[in-house]
């Protein structure tokens, strides 16, 4: 995130292609919120979006389960895939509860998210805090070089400062930067991808773009595929205007696909099929 602007996120919002992505996301979200089902059954749509978002996020982290299996299962304490799905479900349930804290202390929220994701599966002294020098990181999807612990601490403080200082940048830009920076840092020993995508969700909710949390970007990230996700993330890592724009556009497409998913849910509810 190298820029000389006093509002670097707003600068990102002016990159070629980003404005179009922002407009497309807003139109897609507005279509869902304007659906007649949302006037009386929005809670059902929110619940279904959370379930589908968790499934999508887990799929990106290597646990690509059928939606009905995620819906049916009650025990997530078995193998590593079951633990990933359980973590994703816990995180989507937690996201909406942390908005007020996010606005005051994003780092506290990130610590809480890791604690929730780990669910007792990680060593107690390693949960809910940034990793120390020499500690391993389990994040199989992201193979980029791992920043050192000191760099992680400094960049987390920088990210927190950006969030707390506010920005005129569109919600899509802020959410994409938060998501990308957490993936780049992988600040925890585990579940960094799940935490990063949940933080993206929190920004989209808290910004007012998706206050009812019915447009799960995680669905869109999964639908575009792991290879496309990693390729777009490499654009973020490059730090170039073109690479950043490609990452933000990818995140925008993910949000659009999440909105489309919830539109289908609304249609099914209207037909009495869900």
């Amino acid at each position: 995130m190298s820029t000389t602007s006093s509002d670097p996120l707003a600068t990102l919002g002016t990159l070629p292609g980003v404005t179009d992505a922002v407009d497309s996301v807003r139109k897609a979200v507005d279509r869902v919120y304007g659906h007649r089902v949302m006037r009386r059954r929005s809670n059902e749509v929110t619940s279904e979006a959370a379930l589908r978002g968790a499934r999508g996020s887990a799929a990106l982290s290597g646990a690509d389960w059928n939606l009905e299996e995620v819906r049916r299962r009650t025990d997530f304490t078995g193998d590593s895939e079951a633990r990933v799905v359980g973590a994703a479900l816990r995180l989507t349930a937690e996201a909406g509860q942390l908005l007020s804290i996010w606005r005051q202390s994003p780092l506290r929220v990130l610590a809480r998210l890791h604690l929730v994701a780990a669910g007792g599966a990680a060593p107690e002294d390693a949960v809910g805090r940034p990793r120390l020098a020499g500690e391993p990181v389990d994040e199989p999807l992201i193979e980029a070089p791992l920043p050192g612990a000191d760099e992680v601490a400094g960049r987390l403080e920088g990210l927190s400062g950006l969030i707390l200082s506010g920005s005129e940048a569109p919600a899509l830009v802020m959410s994409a930067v938060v998501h990308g920076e957490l993936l780049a840092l992988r600040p925890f020993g585990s579940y960094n991808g799940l935490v990063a995508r949940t933080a993206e969700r929190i920004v989209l909710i808290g910004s007012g773009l998706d206050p009812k949390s019915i447009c799960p970007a995680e669905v869109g990230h999964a639908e575009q595929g792991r290879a496309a996700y990693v390729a777009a993330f490499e654009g973020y890592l490059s730090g170039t205007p073109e690479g950043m724009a490609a990452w933000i556009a990818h995140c925008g497409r993910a949000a659009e696909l999440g909105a489309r998913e919830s539109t289908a849910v609304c249609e099914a509810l209207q037909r009495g099929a869900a």
Side-chain angles (χ1 to χ4, degrees), residues 21-93:
V22 168
D23 290 344
S24 292
V25 169
R26 168 53 69 188
K27 289 174 183 175
V29 172
D30 285 348
R31 280 195 294 271
V32 184
Y33 276 84
H35 198 285
R36 60 188 299 180
V37 166
M38 287 296 296
R39 292 198 293 271
R40 47 196 171 80
R41 303 180 72 176
S42 64
N43 288 342
E44 294 174 68
V45 180
T46 295
S47 295
E48 188 65 18
L51 182 72
R52 296 181 184 215
R55 194 218 71 83
S57 193
L60 286 170
S61 288
D64 192 359
W65 286 17
N66 179 279
L67 180 63
E68 293 312 312
E69 175 65 12
V70 177
R71 195 191 305 278
R72 179 192 66 80
R73 183 77 72 95
T74 57
D75 181 8
F76 298 96
T77 59
D79 60 20
S80 60
E81 286 196 8
R83 291 194 296 273
V84 166
V85 175
L89 287 167
R90 291 191 297 273
L91 285 171
T92 55

Side-chain angles (χ1 to χ4, degrees), residues 4 11 14 66 92-93 149 153 157 168 180 184 195-196 236 248-249 253:
T4 57
T11 299
T14 66
N66 179 279
T92 55
E157 288 292 341
E168 296 182 1
V195 168
Y236 179 87
I248 295 167
R253 179 59 178 158

Side-chain angles (χ1 to χ4, degrees), residues 61 110 114 126 129-132 135-149 151-153 155-156 159 178-197 229-230 233-234 236-237:
S61 288
L110 295 176
H114 187 245
R129 62 156 176 80
R131 54 186 168 80
L132 304 177
E135 289 184 331
V137 172
D138 178 18
E139 191 59 48
L141 181 59
I142 305 301
E143 298 179 353
L146 198 63
E151 182 180 350
V152 168
R155 285 172 63 176
L156 281 176
L159 181 64
V178 168
H179 182 173
E181 190 70 354
L182 292 174
L183 276 187
L185 296 179
R186 283 149 287 162
F188 305 109
S190 58
Y191 299 115
N192 288 289
L194 295 180
V195 168
R197 290 184 288 275
Y229 183 75
V230 171
F233 173 60
E234 288 173 355
Y236 179 87
L237 286 178

